[in-house]
Amino acid sequence: MNTIKSVVTLALLAALVGCTGPATTSPSGAGSTVAPTESKTLTVVTHDSFAISDALKKQFADETGYTATYVAHGDAGTLVNQLILTKDSPVGDVVFGIDNTFAGRAIGQGVLTPYTPANLPASVAELKPDDSGSLTAIDFGDVCVNADKLWFRAKNLAIPTTLDDLAKPAYKDLLVAENPASSSPGLAWLTATVGAKGDPGYLDYWTSLKANGVKVVKGWTEAYSTEFSGSSGKGSRPLVVSYSTSPAFEVPKGSKESNTTALLETCFRQVEYAGVIKGAQNQVGAQKFIDFMLSKQVQADIPGQMYMYPADTSVALPEEWVAHAPLATKPFTVSAAVISADRDTWIRDWTAKVIG
């Protein structure tokens, strides 16, 4: 891949491009500066769920003159692992899709070059994972349990509302969740239970879920599209870990009511970030791409393409989102620093307790 360069090549390239962009402070040597690199190509490294409209991709290419290539590397965890494994020979210039469950690891491993866009909207700045300036929030969403309203109506059973409800006998064998070792929404919801129950209280909670018949599958697609009764797959389980935005996509044509609902007292707020990859051959282009992702056009495109909320909350939402995709008023939260320090231990202990 033409983006893979050795450290020596990057150093020579930086020297050759001279003043192609604003100088940035070098991490070595107080006060010294080096010019950011630039080339005619830009490689955007993403998670598998990245999507913006083709028209916007063309607009970015036309405005910048770059030939942009988009390369997906799995979910957020796989993406960060790839950046770490290749940090001496970077696989791209800019990354999108690192979320707040993996942000601390990416920053701590030094795979990013700090960059903060000018005139950052306040709602975007508030979502930063730390003060390093390494990652810029692009979108966010609440990972919550979703319920199939039609199933519960047919069974004349009340829809659960809280985490504790899910462990009650009335809801035995009804919930499907994703494995946090292989799924970013699975990890986000595991983090929700840590935020709600503490550590090690979350393990006791999962023990009760296991006793109540929770089914754990590898990823979101299997959970939502195959196991969940309220999706096109028409599975057998009427409760699934998904997003608060999912009900907006389960409104039958001609109806004003969604067939599903999100349980807003079960949510963890997931934030997705973009950042400049350290050692990028096109740092200038990487910065321009981050700026572009925060443009009003792209932010307005995100709900329909990636089913997430735009980080710039001044952007108008689709009409169906206002009606069917509310955010949690009090989502469970855990700091990026705590997640980074304890994530691997949580997953290990969860696996031993729930999977065995």
Side-chain angles (χ1 to χ4, degrees):
M1 181 181 289
N2 62 3
T3 57
I4 300 179
K5 302 290 184 180
S6 67
V7 174
V8 174
T9 303
L10 285 168
L12 290 172
L13 182 58
L16 287 172
V17 295
C19 297
T20 57
T24 57
T25 302
S26 170
S28 61
S32 64
T33 59
V34 293
T37 58
E38 187 172 22
S39 70
K40 293 184 178 181
T41 62
L42 181 75
T43 299
V44 183
V45 181
T46 74
H47 59 36
D48 284 344
S49 299
F50 171 77
I52 58 173
S53 67
D54 290 340
L56 286 172
K57 289 181 179 178
K58 184 178 185 301
Q59 178 183 328
F60 176 75
D62 290 345
E63 289 177 353
T64 62
Y66 299 136
T67 299
T69 302
Y70 299 83
V71 183
H73 282 280
D75 69 6
T78 303
L79 175 61
V80 170
N81 287 339
Q82 183 71 5
L83 293 177
I84 293 169
L85 290 171
T86 60
K87 66 180 179 180
D88 292 331
S89 187
V91 294
D93 303 298
V94 61
V95 59
F96 167 81
I98 297 173
D99 74 355
N100 48 330
T101 63
F102 283 98
R105 186 177 186 202
I107 294 167
Q109 289 290 325
V111 299
L112 303 164
T113 296
Y115 170 68
T116 301
N119 303 316
L120 203 63
S123 63
V124 178
E126 289 172 358
L127 295 173
K128 65 182 180 180
D130 64 8
D131 294 324
S132 69
S134 298
L135 290 169
T136 300
I138 302 299
D139 61 42
F140 68 95
D142 286 342
V143 175
C144 319
V145 173
N146 278 215
D148 177 357
K149 295 195 297 186
L150 300 183
W151 189 97
F152 282 95
R153 190 176 300 159
K155 299 292 183 179
N156 197 28
L157 179 63
I159 294 174
T161 59
T162 67
L163 291 176
D164 289 340
D165 285 345
L166 299 173
K168 293 178 178 178
Y171 305 105
K172 185 175 178 63
D173 298 331
L174 301 187
L175 174 65
V176 59
E178 300 87 359
N179 191 319
S182 56
S183 165
S184 57
L187 178 55
W189 202 62
L190 173 64
T191 307
T193 65
V194 173
K197 304 297 183 180
D199 184 359
Y202 78 99
L203 289 173
D204 294 332
Y205 176 69
W206 275 95
T207 298
S208 66
L209 287 183
K210 181 179 180 181
N212 210 39
V214 64
K215 183 172 185 177
V216 177
V217 297
K218 183 177 181 180
W220 180 87
T221 299
E222 181 180 357
Y224 194 86
S225 300
T226 302
E227 299 291 342
F228 182 45
S229 63
S231 72
S232 58
K234 301 300 180 185
S236 62
R237 299 209 167 212
L239 296 170
V240 64
V241 173
S242 190
Y243 289 86
S244 71
T245 55
S246 298
F249 300 92
E250 300 295 347
V251 181
K253 187 175 182 180
S255 175
K256 293 184 178 181
E257 181 182 358
S258 175
N259 287 338
T260 68
T261 187
L263 313 186
L264 297 181
E265 295 182 43
T266 68
C267 305
F268 174 80
R269 184 146 298 167
Q270 184 182 44
V271 183
E272 294 186 322
Y273 301 98
V276 179
I277 298 174
K278 188 175 182 180
Q281 71 166 4
N282 191 352
Q283 294 174 331
V284 172
Q287 294 174 3
K288 289 181 179 179
F289 183 79
I290 294 172
D291 293 347
F292 181 69
M293 290 295 289
L294 287 177
S295 67
K296 298 292 186 183
Q297 302 99 310
V298 174
Q299 289 286 291
D301 193 54
I302 283 173
Q305 294 289 333
M306 291 191 282
Y307 314 142
M308 299 288 275
Y309 278 82
D312 182 353
T313 57
S314 69
V315 173
L317 295 171
E319 182 179 346
E320 61 269 22
W321 280 44
V322 177
H324 305 296
L327 287 165
T329 56
K330 294 181 179 180
F332 297 111
T333 60
V334 181
S335 74
V338 171
I339 296 172
S340 181
D342 296 338
R343 177 189 56 250
D344 292 344
T345 300
W346 295 339
I347 293 174
R348 181 197 67 205
D349 294 346
W350 177 93
T351 301
K353 181 73 69 173
V354 178
I355 304 299

